[in-house]
């Protein structure tokens, strides 16, 4: 067995060996994350039983799906926490992730199976936040002075802080240590401020080793290409949002109240993308598993993007014509919603792909997706209005449509060659 390790709570990567006939030579309770030279996950418990002659494998309650990563026998393992605690922490993370874009957007107006679904919830909070901010602000400034909107933001930020203090807990669990070597949890509050972690720092990486982890992650071609793809697509989510708000107030003569009502459209689009994605990602996965004898490769997670990218590109193109020629505001609302639905589906697919491909670097790959989103959003904020003013909406949005379509070629490349690229580069190896 070959192995790689992680100090951030990711499972130990002891690969299951497969011979030329694709028969697993042995299984291990902690080593079912990846199977075979292509990094294919075995999710079908029946297929695993047929292929493996030994090993105690943990499955879902119905006994049909293999759990990845495999939970340990330690009750302090976050995978063994109660459903209520898991849901509470996911909710707090989603609310806190929601707040930055919610607050920053307030001036537009005034000036695995379960893992995929959990990613859907977290992604939805991020995607909907730039639209819920101006929606609420529009209603506030319609009746009150504009500073009140920022007082609301201040109160909600304080609420997030209280949620973290009262409900959050440390989720890091070093699976490279045996149960008797694991630090014994003592105080949740001490873990929140890092005191308990400091006392057990000898079991983890040094500071320099820790800050090197993102560099190791971005050196993997699939991580780099996914980051670039997200950068090139999320930019136009923010750019279109900024353009529409200005055009609706200056050309369509929308009042703050009218503009607030309009923002229901992208919010509905985000919810639609989450709802469709909830079933779409599972559907593609089940079809792939059915056709590949219970195996699923990370590249299968990219399949929904083949629908999301054309949807986003078409939406941007139509919006350019709609705004340039002052089409009905209902047309603008519909295609704004479809663009947001597309980015919602793509966001979940990208995160699912990278988490499947590099489970040992789950935190790092997620961080790089956030980097792509943040850089794209800031870039669009600086160039969008000058661009559409100089070249016109048709040309500017037409170019953005071309960029969106070209970015889809990166996903096509990963779909065709990602498996070989991952095998060539190997897994992420972090120092202990």
């Amino acid at each position: 067995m070959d192995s790689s390790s992680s100090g951030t709570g990711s499972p130990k990567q002891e690969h299951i060996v497969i011979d030329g006939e694709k028969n697993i030579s042995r299984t291990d309770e902690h080593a079912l994350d990846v199977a075979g030279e292509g990094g294919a996950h075995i999710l079908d418990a029946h297929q695993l039983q047929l292929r493996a002659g030994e090993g105690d494998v943990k499955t879902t309650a119905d006994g049909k799906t293999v759990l990845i990563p495999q939970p340990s026998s330690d009750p302090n393992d976050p995978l063994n926490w109660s459903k209520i605690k898991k849901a509470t922490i996911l909710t707090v993370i989603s609310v806190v992730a929601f707040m930055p874009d919610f607050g920053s957007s307030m001036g537009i107006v005034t000036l695995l199976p379960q893992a995929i679904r959990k990613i859907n919830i977290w992604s939805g909070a991020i995607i909907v936040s730039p639209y819920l901010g101006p929606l609420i602000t529009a209603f506030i400034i319609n009746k009150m002075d504009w500073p009140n909107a920022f007082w609301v933001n201040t109160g909600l930020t304080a609420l997030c802080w209280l949620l973290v203090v009262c409900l959050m807990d440390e989720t890091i669990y070093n699976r490279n240590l045996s149960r008797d070597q694991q630090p014994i949890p003592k105080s949740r509050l001490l873990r929140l401020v890092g005191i308990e972690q400091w006392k057990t720092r000898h079991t983890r990486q040094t500071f320099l080793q820790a800050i090197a982890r993102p560099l190791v992650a971005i050196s993997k071609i699939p991580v780099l290409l996914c980051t670039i793809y997200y950068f090139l697509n999320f930019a136009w989510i923010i750019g279109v949002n900024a353009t529409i708000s200005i055009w609706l107030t200056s050309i369509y003569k929308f009042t703050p109240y009218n503009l607030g009502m309009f923002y229901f459209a992208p919010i509905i689009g985000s919810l639609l993308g989450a709802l469709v994605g909830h079933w779409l990602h599972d559907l593609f996965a089940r079809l792939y598993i059915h056709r590949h004898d219970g195996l699923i490769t990370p590249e299968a997670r990219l399949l929904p993007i083949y629908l999301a990218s054309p949807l986003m590109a078409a939406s941007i193109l139509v919006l350019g014509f709609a705004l340039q020629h002052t089409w009905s505001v209902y047309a603008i609302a519909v295609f704004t919603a479809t663009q947001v639905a597309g980015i919602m589906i793509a966001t979940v697919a990208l995160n699912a792909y990278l988490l499947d491909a590099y489970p040992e670097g789950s935190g790092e790959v997620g961080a790089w997706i956030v980097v792509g989103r943040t850089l794209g959003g800031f870039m669009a904020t600086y160039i969008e209005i000058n661009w559409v003013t100089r070249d016109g909406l048709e040309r500017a949005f037409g170019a953005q449509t071309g960029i969106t379509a070209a970015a889809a070629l990166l996903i096509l490349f990963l779909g065709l060659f990602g498996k070989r690229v991952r095998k060539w580069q190997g897994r992420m190896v972090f120092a202990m």
Side-chain angles (χ1 to χ4, degrees):
M1 289 188 179
D2 63 337
S3 63
S4 61
S5 58
S6 168
T8 63
S10 300
K12 186 175 182 180
Q13 299 301 310
E14 297 180 351
H15 298 182
I16 302 171
V17 180
I18 294 184
D19 59 28
E21 300 298 321
K22 293 190 176 180
N23 293 318
I24 300 177
S25 59
R26 75 176 290 266
T27 62
D28 185 281
E29 180 179 356
H30 303 290
L32 291 174
D33 294 323
V34 209
E37 52 189 64
H41 300 284
I42 304 179
L43 295 184
D44 190 320
H46 176 67
Q47 288 294 331
L48 181 62
Q49 186 179 17
L50 293 177
R51 293 162 180 261
E54 54 180 309
D56 180 20
V57 179
K58 295 181 174 65
T59 66
T60 52
D62 59 11
K64 295 181 179 179
T65 306
V66 178
L67 294 176
I68 298 177
Q70 288 277 284
S72 69
S73 58
D74 187 354
N76 295 316
D77 184 346
L79 294 177
N80 294 325
W81 286 349
S82 68
K83 290 183 178 180
I84 294 178
K85 185 171 183 177
K86 292 177 181 178
T88 299
I89 289 181
L90 174 63
T91 300
V92 175
I93 290 174
S94 299
V95 171
V96 174
F98 165 88
M99 282 307 299
D101 282 347
F102 172 86
S104 65
S105 65
M106 281 187 147
I108 296 174
V109 176
T110 58
L111 286 178
L112 280 182
Q114 292 181 347
I116 306 302
R117 295 172 184 175
K118 299 303 184 289
I119 294 171
N120 214 15
I121 296 172
W122 167 75
S123 300
I126 293 177
I127 301 300
V128 79
S129 58
Y131 306 107
L132 197 57
L135 183 149
I136 293 176
T137 303
F139 292 131
I140 292 175
I141 66 173
N142 190 55
K143 298 292 185 181
M144 297 182 286
D145 293 334
W146 65 264
N148 289 287
F150 291 92
W151 281 117
V152 170
N153 184 43
T154 301
L156 290 175
T157 303
L159 175 63
C160 288
W161 179 80
L162 287 174
L163 290 174
V164 170
V165 172
C166 297
L167 301 175
M168 281 298 290
D169 202 349
E170 175 62 82
T171 59
I172 287 181
Y173 187 84
N174 192 341
R175 300 182 186 280
N176 297 307
L177 301 179
S178 62
R179 180 176 176 179
D180 59 347
Q181 293 176 315
Q182 294 289 343
I184 299 176
K186 297 178 180 178
S187 168
R188 186 183 63 84
L189 292 178
L190 291 180
R191 289 193 295 276
L192 281 181
V193 296
I195 293 177
E196 278 198 18
Q197 293 89 331
W198 175 256
K199 292 180 179 179
T200 58
R201 62 190 181 278
H202 61 280
T203 65
R204 292 184 300 276
Q205 299 168 323
T206 66
F207 175 75
L208 291 179
Q209 289 171 337
I211 62 175
R213 292 176 67 94
L215 300 180
V216 173
I218 198 63
S219 69
K220 303 301 181 182
I221 292 175
V223 179
L224 176 62
L225 295 184
C226 286
T227 302
I228 294 174
Y229 172 87
Y230 205 54
F231 166 81
L232 294 176
N233 280 275
F234 202 87
W236 314 131
I237 291 290
I238 301 301
V240 168
N241 185 25
T243 303
I244 287 177
S245 64
I246 293 177
W247 252 248
L248 290 181
T249 53
S250 60
I251 305 299
Y252 288 79
K253 306 302 179 183
F254 269 33
T255 65
Y257 179 83
N258 298 142
L259 190 58
M261 294 298 293
F262 175 85
Y263 275 105
F264 276 110
I267 291 174
I268 292 173
S270 177
L271 296 176
L272 183 63
L275 181 63
V276 172
H278 180 82
W279 303 108
L280 188 65
H281 297 285
D282 282 351
L283 175 62
F284 276 111
R286 286 197 299 269
L287 291 176
Y288 190 94
I289 291 171
H290 179 72
R291 296 186 61 183
H292 294 82
D293 297 326
L295 296 177
I296 183 169
T297 62
E299 283 67 33
R301 301 296 190 185
L302 296 173
L303 293 175
I305 299 183
Y306 298 143
L307 297 178
S309 284
L311 182 62
M312 289 187 288
S315 298
I316 297 172
L317 184 64
V318 173
L319 284 171
F321 285 99
L323 291 170
Q324 182 74 47
H325 299 287
T326 60
W327 290 2
S328 169
V329 70
Y330 296 107
I332 299 173
V334 167
F335 287 98
T336 299
T338 55
Q339 185 198 14
V340 175
I343 196 67
M344 181 69 201
I345 294 171
T347 299
V348 177
L350 284 177
N351 280 281
Y353 167 64
L354 291 178
L355 288 175
D356 272 9
Y358 301 105
E360 70 277 13
S362 57
E364 288 72 25
V365 298
W368 278 112
I369 292 296
V370 173
V371 168
R373 175 177 67 88
T374 305
L375 292 180
F378 275 112
M379 182 271 291
T381 302
Y382 283 111
I383 70 171
E384 182 74 9
I385 302 305
N386 290 334
W387 189 0
V388 298
T389 302
R390 182 186 69 243
D391 295 344
L393 284 158
E394 285 184 356
R395 289 188 177 183
F397 277 37
Q400 292 167 20
T401 300
I403 294 172
T404 300
L409 297 177
L410 300 177
I411 302 302
L412 180 61
F413 172 83
L414 289 175
L416 295 174
F417 306 108
K419 182 177 178 180
R420 278 178 268 182
V421 170
R422 289 187 293 107
K423 181 181 177 182
W424 169 61
Q425 285 195 298
R427 309 203 62 81
M428 296 180 186
V429 180
F430 301 115
M432 284 300 295

